[in-house]
Amino acid sequence: MVIENDRLLRALRLEPNDRPPVWLMRQAGRYLPEYRKVRAQAGSFMDLCRNAELASEVAMQPLRRYPLDASILFSDILTIPDAMGLGLQFLSGEGPVFERPIKTLKAIESLPLPDVDQELGYVTDVLRAMRMRIGDKLPIIGFSGSPWTLACYMLEGRGTRDFSTARSWLWREPRGLQLLLDKLSTSITDYLAAQADAGADVLMLFDTWGGLLSEAHYQIFSLQPMKTIIEQLRSRHNCTLPVILFSKGCHTQISDMLKSGCAGVGVDWRIDINAALKQTRGKAALQGNLDPTVLLADADSIQTTVRTQFAEAVGQTGFIFNLGHGIMPEASPEGVTVLLEALHSMSG
Ligand code: CP3
């Protein structure tokens, strides 16, 4: 399918654009009153993810409000561990919790690989429903959590500040951890290939917890499995879609990420965007990296921050504007309007 607004695809191919493509991580979510309404109607967050009509509706909501250049699948990264039988729940105020976290090597050895069509078909149903609504207007980004980030939640059982239980496997049982990452890599590859078949135009790996690792461990336990996924997508599934890697807290390792076969690298707000662009220029697109907390500030601060931090970046080939992490539930929808107006006023 030829996509009408192809700024994101052009950026990922390192082709020039009239202005940088822009989308926002978590662009569909609780900061929007219309999201909260549909979410209440659906029941739980996972009920929303399993309802193709409502999930595709909330994916459209930010596109109606704002001039964004991409849509993103509405789902969550924890769908795979849930399909592996860990029993995912979202408790209010607590975030995700697994009823049956992984505690032993034996549990890893007997962990089943889910049948993607059977058990994760509800995700590709959402993608197809989104495509029906979007037509050929905008690209759709499919995604998965990275093996390391999914392993963090599966071994820890819930989100914690430092994932110390999960990280203790690095020292106590590295081979067990490796087996878990291998199983996850296989499932994630199949899951992303199914998303490609269902109409995704771009794939993204969210490695939210890569930054918890030492540089040496990052290479082995986070980056290498993501590299394997990209290789397997190409070889096993004949899937040539561009892949964006986002390892939060890992901007010191951009040069190694560029060797993974990815088309784009995402960075959080800790690195100066111009310094990051210098490293990726001519090799991959760069996505980021406005600190999402600026959306908690007044319009003037948002405007000034965007204008100063991105003055040079907006003219660069391969630059994709985004936040450095997901938009916060407390962000104001009007702040997003200010942000996009400031950004668009800077080019042409
Ligand atoms: O970007 C988008 O609009 C697409 C949808 C999307 C969601 N989660 C929806 C969601 C994406 C891409 C994710 C990825 C995700 N999920 C990540 C990686 C990116 C990141 O933020 O680091 C992680 C770590 C998760 C796990 C997760 N899901 C957590 C920790 C939470 C609870 C914390 C929170 O923000 O509430 C969720 C729930 C979740 N995922 C919500 C949404 C819209 C809020 C659920 C609700 O409506 O109650």
Coordinates of all heavy atoms in Angstrom, one line a residue, residues 23-30 35 39 45 72-78 90 95-96 143 149 153 206 208-209 325-326, ligand 1:
W23 N 5.3 12.2 15.9 CA 4.3 11.4 16.6 C 4.8 11.4 18.0 O 5.9 11.8 18.3 CB 4.1 10.0 16.0 CG 5.2 9.0 16.2 CD1 6.3 8.9 15.4 CD2 5.3 8.0 17.2 NE1 7.1 7.9 15.9 CE2 6.5 7.3 17.0 CE3 4.4 7.6 18.2 CZ2 6.9 6.2 17.7 CZ3 4.8 6.5 19.0 CH2 6.1 5.8 18.7
L24 N 3.9 11.0 18.9 CA 4.3 11.0 20.4 C 4.0 9.7 21.0 O 3.0 9.1 20.9 CB 3.4 12.1 21.1 CG 3.4 13.5 20.5 CD1 2.3 14.3 21.1 CD2 4.8 14.1 20.6
M25 N 5.1 9.2 21.7 CA 4.9 7.9 22.4 C 3.7 8.1 23.4 O 3.6 9.1 24.1 CB 6.2 7.5 23.2 CG 7.3 7.1 22.2 SD 8.7 6.3 23.0 CE 9.7 7.8 23.3
R26 N 2.8 7.1 23.4 CA 1.6 7.1 24.2 C 0.7 8.2 23.8 O 0.0 8.8 24.7 CB 1.9 7.3 25.7 CG 2.6 6.1 26.4 CD 1.5 5.1 26.9 NE 2.1 3.9 27.4 CZ 2.3 3.6 28.7 NH1 1.8 4.5 29.6 NH2 2.9 2.6 29.1
Q27 N 0.6 8.5 22.5 CA -0.2 9.6 22.0 C -1.7 9.3 22.3 O -2.5 10.2 22.4 CB 0.0 9.9 20.6 CG -0.2 8.8 19.6 CD 0.4 9.1 18.2 OE1 1.3 9.9 18.0 NE2 -0.2 8.5 17.1
A28 N -2.1 8.0 22.4 CA -3.4 7.7 22.8 C -3.3 7.3 24.3 O -2.6 6.4 24.6 CB -3.9 6.5 22.0
G29 N -4.1 8.0 25.1 CA -3.9 7.6 26.5 C -4.7 8.6 27.4 O -5.5 9.4 27.0
R30 N -4.4 8.4 28.7 CA -5.2 9.1 29.7 C -5.2 10.6 29.8 O -6.1 11.2 30.4 CB -4.9 8.5 31.1 CG -5.5 7.2 31.4 CD -4.8 6.5 32.6 NE -3.4 6.4 32.3 CZ -2.5 5.9 33.1 NH1 -2.9 5.5 34.3 NH2 -1.3 5.7 32.8
Y35 N -10.2 9.6 25.7 CA -9.7 8.3 25.9 C -10.3 7.8 27.2 O -10.8 6.6 27.3 CB -8.2 8.3 26.1 CG -7.6 7.0 26.6 CD1 -7.3 6.0 25.8 CD2 -7.4 6.9 28.0 CE1 -6.9 4.8 26.3 CE2 -6.9 5.7 28.5 CZ -6.6 4.6 27.6 OH -6.2 3.4 28.1
R39 N -12.2 4.3 27.7 CA -11.6 3.3 28.7 C -12.6 2.9 29.7 O -12.7 1.7 30.1 CB -10.4 4.1 29.3 CG -9.8 3.5 30.5 CD -8.9 2.4 30.3 NE -8.1 2.1 31.4 CZ -8.5 1.6 32.6 NH1 -9.8 1.3 32.7 NH2 -7.7 1.4 33.6
F45 N -8.3 -1.9 31.3 CA -7.4 -1.6 30.2 C -7.2 -2.7 29.2 O -7.3 -2.6 28.0 CB -6.1 -1.1 30.7 CG -5.0 -1.0 29.7 CD1 -5.1 0.0 28.7 CD2 -3.9 -1.8 29.7 CE1 -4.1 0.1 27.7 CE2 -2.9 -1.7 28.8 CZ -3.0 -0.7 27.8
I72 N 0.0 4.7 16.0 CA 0.6 3.5 16.6 C -0.4 2.6 17.1 O -1.5 3.0 17.7 CB 1.6 3.9 17.8 CG1 2.2 2.7 18.4 CG2 1.0 4.9 18.8 CD1 3.5 2.9 19.2
L73 N -0.2 1.3 16.9 CA -1.1 0.3 17.4 C -1.5 0.5 18.8 O -0.6 0.8 19.6 CB -0.3 -1.1 17.3 CG -0.9 -2.3 18.0 CD1 -2.2 -2.7 17.4 CD2 0.1 -3.4 18.1
F74 N -2.8 0.4 19.1 CA -3.2 0.5 20.5 C -3.2 -0.9 21.1 O -4.0 -1.7 20.8 CB -4.5 1.2 20.7 CG -4.7 1.5 22.1 CD1 -4.2 2.7 22.7 CD2 -5.4 0.6 23.0 CE1 -4.3 2.9 24.0 CE2 -5.5 0.9 24.3 CZ -5.0 2.0 24.9
S75 N -2.2 -1.1 22.0 CA -2.1 -2.3 22.8 C -1.1 -2.1 23.9 O -0.9 -1.0 24.3 CB -1.6 -3.4 21.8 OG -1.7 -4.7 22.4
D76 N -0.4 -3.1 24.4 CA 0.6 -3.0 25.4 C 1.7 -3.9 25.1 O 1.6 -4.9 24.4 CB 0.0 -3.3 26.8 CG 0.9 -2.7 27.9 OD1 0.9 -1.4 28.0 OD2 1.6 -3.4 28.5
I77 N 2.9 -3.7 25.8 CA 4.0 -4.5 25.5 C 3.9 -5.9 26.3 O 4.6 -6.8 26.0 CB 5.4 -3.9 25.9 CG1 5.4 -3.5 27.4 CG2 5.7 -2.7 25.1 CD1 6.9 -3.3 27.9
L78 N 3.0 -5.9 27.3 CA 2.9 -7.1 28.1 C 2.0 -8.2 27.6 O 1.7 -9.2 28.3 CB 2.6 -6.7 29.6 CG 3.6 -5.8 30.2 CD1 3.2 -5.3 31.5 CD2 5.0 -6.4 30.2
F90 N -3.9 -5.2 35.4 CA -3.5 -3.8 35.7 C -4.3 -3.4 36.9 O -5.5 -3.2 36.8 CB -3.8 -2.9 34.5 CG -2.8 -3.1 33.4 CD1 -2.9 -4.0 32.4 CD2 -1.6 -2.3 33.4 CE1 -2.0 -4.2 31.4 CE2 -0.7 -2.4 32.4 CZ -0.8 -3.4 31.4
G95 N -0.1 -0.1 38.3 CA 0.5 -0.5 37.1 C 0.4 -2.0 36.9 O -0.4 -2.7 37.6
P96 N 1.2 -2.6 36.0 CA 1.0 -4.0 35.6 C 1.5 -5.0 36.7 O 2.5 -4.7 37.3 CB 1.8 -4.2 34.4 CG 2.8 -3.1 34.4 CD 2.2 -2.0 35.2
F143 N 4.4 -2.7 17.3 CA 5.5 -2.7 18.3 C 5.4 -3.9 19.2 O 4.4 -4.7 19.2 CB 5.4 -1.5 19.2 CG 4.2 -1.4 20.1 CD1 4.3 -2.0 21.4 CD2 3.0 -0.8 19.8 CE1 3.2 -2.0 22.2 CE2 1.9 -0.8 20.6 CZ 2.0 -1.4 21.9
T149 N 13.3 -6.2 28.3 CA 12.3 -5.4 29.1 C 11.1 -6.4 29.5 O 10.6 -6.3 30.6 CB 11.8 -4.2 28.3 OG1 12.9 -3.3 28.2 CG2 10.6 -3.5 28.9
Y153 N 9.8 -7.6 33.6 CA 8.5 -7.7 34.2 C 8.1 -9.2 34.6 O 7.5 -9.4 35.6 CB 7.4 -7.2 33.2 CG 7.4 -5.7 33.1 CD1 8.0 -5.0 32.1 CD2 6.8 -4.9 34.1 CE1 8.0 -3.6 32.0 CE2 6.8 -3.5 34.1 CZ 7.4 -2.9 33.0 OH 7.4 -1.5 32.9
F206 N 10.3 -1.5 22.1 CA 10.4 -0.7 23.3 C 11.3 -1.4 24.3 O 10.9 -2.4 24.9 CB 9.1 -0.4 23.9 CG 8.2 0.6 23.2 CD1 7.4 0.2 22.2 CD2 8.3 1.9 23.5 CE1 6.6 1.1 21.5 CE2 7.5 2.9 22.8 CZ 6.6 2.5 21.8
T208 N 12.4 -0.4 27.4 CA 12.3 0.6 28.4 C 13.4 0.4 29.5 O 13.8 1.4 30.1 CB 10.9 0.5 29.1 OG1 10.0 0.6 28.0 CG2 10.7 1.6 30.1
W209 N 13.8 -0.8 29.8 CA 14.7 -1.0 30.9 C 16.1 -1.4 30.5 O 16.9 -1.9 31.4 CB 14.1 -2.1 31.9 CG 12.7 -1.6 32.4 CD1 11.5 -2.2 32.2 CD2 12.5 -0.4 33.1 NE1 10.5 -1.4 32.7 CE2 11.1 -0.3 33.3 CE3 13.3 0.7 33.6 CZ2 10.5 0.7 34.0 CZ3 12.7 1.7 34.3 CH2 11.3 1.7 34.4
H325 N 10.1 9.9 26.2 CA 9.4 8.8 26.8 C 7.9 9.1 26.6 O 7.6 10.2 26.1 CB 9.8 8.6 28.2 CG 9.5 7.2 28.8 ND1 9.3 7.0 30.1 CD2 9.3 6.0 28.1 CE1 8.9 5.7 30.3 NE2 8.9 5.1 29.1
G326 N 7.1 8.2 27.1 CA 5.6 8.4 26.9 C 5.1 9.6 27.5 O 5.6 10.1 28.6
Ligands
CP3_1 O1 1.9 4.8 22.4 C1 0.7 4.5 22.2 O2 -0.2 5.3 22.2 C2 0.4 3.0 22.0 C3 0.0 2.3 23.1 C4 1.0 1.8 24.2 C5 0.6 1.6 25.5 N1 1.6 1.0 26.2 C6 -0.8 1.8 26.0 C7 -1.0 1.9 27.5 C8 2.4 1.4 24.1 C9 3.3 1.6 22.9 C10 2.7 0.9 25.4 C11 4.1 0.4 25.7 C12 4.4 0.0 27.1 N2 3.6 -0.5 28.0 C13 5.7 0.2 27.6 C14 6.9 0.6 26.8 C15 7.0 2.1 26.7 C16 7.2 2.8 28.0 O3 6.2 3.6 28.4 O4 8.2 2.6 28.7 C17 5.7 -0.3 28.9 C18 6.8 -0.3 29.9 C19 4.4 -0.8 29.2 C20 3.9 -1.4 30.4 C21 2.8 -0.6 31.0 N3 1.5 -0.5 30.5 C22 2.8 0.1 32.2 C23 4.0 0.2 33.1 C24 1.5 0.6 32.4 C25 1.0 1.3 33.6 C26 1.6 2.6 33.8 C27 0.8 3.7 33.2 O5 1.3 4.5 32.5 O6 -0.4 3.6 33.5 C28 0.7 0.3 31.3 C29 -0.6 0.7 31.0 C30 -0.9 1.4 29.7 N4 -0.4 1.1 28.5 C31 -1.9 2.5 29.5 C32 -1.9 2.8 28.2 C33 -2.7 3.8 27.5 C34 -2.7 3.1 30.6 C35 -3.7 2.1 31.0 C36 -5.0 2.8 31.5 O7 -5.7 3.3 30.7 O8 -5.3 2.6 32.7

